[in-house]
Structure formats: C-alpha cells, structure tokens
Amino acid sequence: MTKYSSRYASSPEAVKKYDTQQLREEFLIDDLMQEDEVVLVYSHYDRYIAGSAVPVKGDLILETIDPLKAPYFLERRELGIINVGGSGSVVVEGTTYELGFKDALYIGAGNKEVIFKSDDSSNPAKFYLNSAPAHTAYPTKKVSLAEANKLQLGTMETANHRTVNQMIIGSVVTTCQLQMGMTELKPGSVWNTMPAHVHDRRMEVYFYLDIPQDQAVCHFMGQPQETRHIWMNNHQAVISPPWSIHSGSGTSNYTFIWGMAGENLDYGDMDVCKITDLR
C-alpha cells in the first residue's frame, strides 16, 4: 500500500508569521516508518520526495503517485535508499541488492520495478527513501556504510564532534542531482551542522535516527536572522527550504541522514552563517 501527501513551497516572509502548529504542518514529516506501507511526501522544493517503506507481512512495491503523471515511479526520477532497520533487500528489475543496517542503495532513472523485502518480519527492514527528478539514467549501485567517504568534523569542546558518511555523492556514486549521506555524532556531542549554513542552490531534508527513548532533537530552521525551531523525535524528517538554515541540537547524541538536490552537485557549496550573527 502507498500513501502520499504534498507540501507546497513557502516564502521566508510567510514562515516568519507561522505558529508552532503551522510550522510543523509545513515542514515536519512525522508519519514515516509505518508497517506494510510505502509513505511518500512530495515537496514542491526542487520536486523532492522523502518517504519510507517497511515490509513486514509481505513485500512492498514502489508504485507511481499521481503528482508524477508517470506510468512508473522512476520514469523521470532517481532514488536513494538507506536501511535504518533490520536486514532486508531491494529488488531492482530482477536484481537483488542486500542491505544491512545503514547500508545505502542508489537506483537510476528508467527502472520500472522496485520491490522492498525484509529478511525477518520480527525485525523488519526500514527503508528511508529520497528521490529527485533525473534527466539521465545512471547505473544502480549499493554503498555499504564501510564504503562511504568519511569526514571527521567538529570537536568535543564545541559539542559537535561527528563523522560525516558521504554515501550517495559524486565521489562515490554518479547521480543527476540527488545526494545523500549519514552523519553520526560522537557520545557527548549534540550539535549538527554548526556553524549553520544556507545554500540557495539546493534544498535539503534531514531524517533523525538513533535518538534514545525519552530524548529528542531540537531542529533549527529559518533565515539566519529569523530562526525558528521544531522539536523532533526518532525516525522523523524535516524539510529545509533553500533559504533556510538546517541545524539541530539533541538532548543526547544521535544520527541523521541528509539528502539534497537542486542546482549543483558541489557538496561544499554553502554560505556559512557566523554563529554570533544568528538571531
């Protein structure tokens, strides 16, 4: 079964006037990882889709949705998948790709059949999905966590010591515009993406995981001089417009998956905001 919803783009001037409920309704994705369902959210920022697939009682098929006006989901799209649950597999046009915990898979445009499977229904795979429009078909490729390009950033002194695992990115996988990776914070560190930044050339979605029970992450968004915040729980995602910062601080260390698409594939293309200039 597939469920989908759409989110329209909001201007920064409009967002300044949002109350807590409206802010959450526009940007928070809080219904992912539903058993035996494919859940998709179609964002009008760069036509990006974030979603999930959790096969328990049986396999799940990636079906097209009405906003795409396409006979199959990947007719004009590419797809990135990271498994955040038990072991499972993704079958792409008859070829099976085994995905363990935190393994990734890139699927290029033009693939008509994508099937999600779990190895054990008592510990199902939980596939986190990101998709963007694609103008060229590139080969499907699995990237394990061990194969990711790893960056060590931050320090314990500034509470942002972290490992950035670049997984679906130009130096590892050839894509049209989709980029995905996973950042793991070290014990004792709580800040991600600080100093914060914006990049008007592309939008981004954060998906938070490994948040301990009874803990939470406060995600910061908005223009650098007009910030807002959204409290988030485990396995929730948040949409970040191109004009918005995207940073968070948790009551514990945690992990988050970042995915983005837009004007270019330059990971370092960002306009950094000086911490003391944030408002």
Side-chain angles (χ1 to χ4, degrees):
M1 179 178 177
T2 300
K3 294 171 54 178
Y4 79 89
S5 59
S6 296
R7 303 286 181 92
Y8 291 94
S10 303
S11 74
E13 289 301 315
V15 173
K16 290 178 184 180
K17 302 176 178 65
Y18 287 179
D19 62 14
T20 298
Q21 180 179 349
Q22 189 171 9
L23 198 70
R24 294 174 70 88
E25 289 174 349
E26 292 287 336
F27 299 106
L28 178 65
I29 304 173
D30 61 0
D31 60 348
L32 297 175
M33 301 304 165
Q34 297 185 35
E35 292 187 355
D36 293 312
E37 288 187 333
V38 176
V39 179
L40 302 171
V41 175
Y42 181 100
S43 170
H44 284 257
Y45 292 111
D46 289 303
R47 307 291 171 173
Y48 203 85
I49 292 177
S52 63
V54 184
V56 179
K57 296 178 181 177
D59 301 345
L60 290 174
I61 298 173
L62 182 64
E63 300 172 328
T64 191
I65 56 176
D66 186 64
L68 303 184
K69 305 300 182 188
Y72 58 96
F73 189 91
L74 293 177
E75 184 190 36
R76 301 184 299 271
R77 286 188 158 267
E78 55 189 353
L79 176 68
I81 304 168
I82 298 179
N83 182 15
V84 299
S87 59
S89 60
V90 181
V91 181
V92 183
E93 298 284 13
T95 300
T96 299
Y97 298 87
E98 302 286 346
L99 296 185
F101 183 54
K102 295 184 176 179
D103 286 344
L105 180 68
Y106 170 78
I107 305 176
N111 287 287
K112 295 182 179 180
E113 182 185 67
V114 178
I115 302 172
F116 303 101
K117 299 173 176 282
S118 291
D119 291 350
D120 182 358
S121 61
S122 65
N123 182 27
K126 296 180 178 179
F127 298 109
Y128 176 61
L129 317 175
N130 279 190
S131 175
H135 59 273
T136 302
Y138 288 115
T140 298
K141 182 178 180 180
K142 174 186 172 180
V143 181
S144 69
L145 183 60
E147 293 171 323
N149 182 42
K150 298 180 184 293
L151 306 176
Q152 302 297 326
L153 301 178
T155 66
M156 288 296 295
E157 289 75 14
T158 52
N160 66 349
H161 193 200
R162 61 200 189 272
T163 301
V164 178
N165 299 283
Q166 297 178 325
M167 304 183 80
I168 299 175
I169 196 168
S171 59
V172 181
V173 181
T174 301
T175 71
C176 286
Q177 60 169 327
L178 181 66
Q179 297 184 75
M180 288 182 74
M182 182 163 44
T183 299
E184 300 172 301
L185 275 72
K186 308 285 187 179
S189 285
V190 295
W191 279 101
N192 71 62
T193 323
M194 186 56 68
H197 62 265
V198 297
H199 31 64
D200 233 14
R201 277 72 63 194
R202 57 183 183 266
M203 63 84 69
E204 195 157 359
V205 175
Y206 276 11
F207 172 81
Y208 288 96
L209 66 148
D210 293 342
I211 301 175
Q213 188 174 0
D214 299 324
Q215 304 300 316
V217 171
C218 187
H219 181 85
F220 294 88
M221 62 166 296
Q223 291 174 296
Q225 282 72 51
E226 195 73 43
T227 61
R228 300 290 185 268
H229 68 271
I230 298 176
W231 281 98
M232 300 185 60
N233 299 322
N234 200 45
H235 289 178
Q236 293 183 342
V238 61
I239 298 168
S240 179
W243 46 263
S244 173
I245 66 167
H246 31 285
S247 183
S249 182
T251 56
S252 168
N253 66 309
Y254 54 90
T255 301
F256 73 99
I257 294 171
W258 42 268
M260 53 190 170
E263 188 68 28
N264 62 42
L265 288 167
D266 182 1
Y267 178 81
D269 177 15
M270 58 186 73
D271 302 315
V272 175
C273 310
K274 189 177 178 180
I275 293 175
T276 53
D277 288 341
L278 295 172
R279 296 291 184 268

